[in-house]
Amino acid sequence: MRAGEQVPLGRTGLRVSRLGLGLASLGGLFAPVGEEEAAAVLERAWRLGIRLYDTAPVYGYGRSERRAGAALAGRPREAFVLCTKVGRLIEPGGPDTQPIWADPPPGLGPRKDYSYNGVMRSVTESLDRLGLDRVDVLHVHDPDEEFGTAVREAYRALAELRARGTVGAVSIGVNHAPVAARFLREAAAPGPDCVLLAGRYGLLDQSGLEELLPLCAERGVAVLAAGVYHGGLLADAGPGTPHGHTAVPPETAARIAGWRELCGRFGVPLLAAAVRFPFGHPAVASVVVGARTPEQVEQSAAWLAHPVPAALWACARRSGLLPAGCPDPPE
């Protein structure tokens, strides 16, 4: 499986690369990333054939969107798919600040706003930061924060923008699979076209399989699987490696150890199994990974290309690392 392999994004008419690049790290997630390094990451991704880029206003309080726009300026507009999000406005004194951003622009902060007018303003401001006239995929970011307003007003705004052509596809970006399933069921027809699902269909958590992924397959809703490295838990983190975990629960540590032992037995890098696993479900179109250096992008592409035998997944099911009905990814 190649990073640059192009596949349809569900019913949207868009085509995306199998590997997408999430741009939170380039906004300064956990540790600063300089302008030149950020540009080098995006350049390496392009050279590897990656054509799906996912950002958000809250990523570095506008910094990630600006860097994405600068890197994509001059690229053929039909050659890439750019995703961003709504739900937080970036403004002076915004109160919803997050300590995960290492060096945010001084004086700026996010403010939650899932209202119709807030979403329309957010899109206008994102387009300005990106230097674009349209967004290919627009996610309602963390709709569980204000679910009622998000499913009514934010979705109505996005549906109107989709009808105008300012937005190619309407999506939701979630960390909890039941929230996404509820949103799909309650949003007015025709509903979202995509779901960005973070950390809920990977080696350590398959909760997306219970309801959400079957529902997406039934409705032709494409899934972008993110968080497949589980916030760095699966990585061999060296001293000083930035991540979002202060402690690992014993049950999670045991599962990680189980996966390491199993992958070692088959001679498969653990992160190769992690990045390939979501493709077992037919609703998953692409896997979105983050990177803060060009080498990390290159490594993710190499892991995606690494074959994983079906016997490994069979052993994972027998040992309880995966549920019995979990589908195999292609070898």
Side-chain angles (χ1 to χ4, degrees):
M1 188 173 288
R2 296 179 296 104
E5 177 189 352
Q6 296 273 322
V7 296
L9 185 65
R11 65 193 183 203
T12 66
L14 299 167
R15 293 181 66 82
V16 294
S17 54
R18 280 297 198 180
L19 196 65
L21 186 64
L23 304 182
S25 293
L26 301 192
L29 181 65
F30 304 128
V33 175
E35 293 285 346
E36 290 186 6
E37 188 78 347
V41 169
L42 287 154
E43 174 63 26
R44 184 69 58 86
W46 188 272
R47 283 167 43 198
L48 289 166
I50 295 171
R51 297 293 184 268
L52 171 65
Y53 303 94
D54 185 79
T55 184
V58 78
Y59 294 171
Y61 306 166
R63 179 175 287 149
S64 175
E65 286 187 320
R66 289 193 181 91
R67 289 176 170 179
L72 294 170
R75 304 289 190 187
R77 186 61 187 89
E78 299 299 328
F80 63 87
V81 170
L82 190 285
C83 317
T84 193
K85 304 177 179 72
V86 298
R88 293 178 178 90
L89 293 166
I90 308 303
E91 56 192 20
D96 188 27
T97 55
Q98 302 169 319
I100 58 176
W101 305 108
D103 59 342
L108 292 180
R111 177 175 62 80
K112 294 177 189 175
D113 193 333
Y114 294 84
S115 70
Y116 175 92
N117 289 336
V119 165
M120 290 299 195
R121 174 184 156 191
S122 179
V123 173
T124 298
E125 293 175 356
S126 285
L127 290 173
D128 182 62
R129 286 189 289 264
L130 291 162
L132 299 174
D133 62 359
R134 72 177 193 276
V135 173
D136 299 300
V137 180
L138 192 57
H139 312 288
V140 181
H141 200 181
D142 298 331
D144 49 313
E145 299 278 352
E146 295 180 9
F147 187 88
T149 305
V151 78
R152 292 190 302 271
E153 296 195 32
Y155 174 73
R156 177 165 63 91
L158 267 58
E160 287 185 15
L161 292 167
R162 177 175 55 190
R164 294 180 199 171
T166 305
V167 170
V170 170
S171 181
I172 48 178
V174 295
N175 294 300
H176 306 290
V179 170
R182 181 185 171 195
F183 199 104
L184 291 181
R185 295 189 190 284
E186 294 189 18
D193 307 295
C194 315
V195 173
L196 176 68
L197 181 64
R200 299 298 177 254
Y201 194 57
L203 299 187
L204 301 183
D205 187 327
Q206 300 87 45
S207 56
L209 191 60
E210 296 168 12
E211 179 186 13
L212 177 62
L213 289 173
L215 180 62
C216 288
E218 173 191 320
R219 296 191 174 192
V221 173
V223 175
L224 305 174
V228 296
Y229 301 148
H230 293 282
L233 283 177
L234 297 180
D236 291 315
T241 301
H243 58 81
H245 303 280
T246 55
V248 180
E251 181 181 346
T252 301
R255 291 183 66 80
I256 294 170
W259 276 110
R260 288 194 187 284
E261 188 279 328
L262 177 60
C263 288
R265 202 189 321 158
F266 282 88
V268 171
L270 175 59
L271 297 189
V275 77
R276 291 182 68 96
F277 169 73
F279 289 110
H281 199 282
V284 175
S286 182
V287 164
V288 178
V289 298
R292 61 182 63 250
T293 67
E295 292 75 20
Q296 288 179 350
V297 182
E298 193 102 36
Q299 186 62 78
S300 284
W303 282 323
L304 182 62
H306 196 290
V308 180
L312 183 149
W313 307 116
C315 285
R317 286 191 292 271
R318 286 197 299 270
S319 66
L321 290 170
L322 292 176
C326 199
D328 283 3
E331 291 193 48

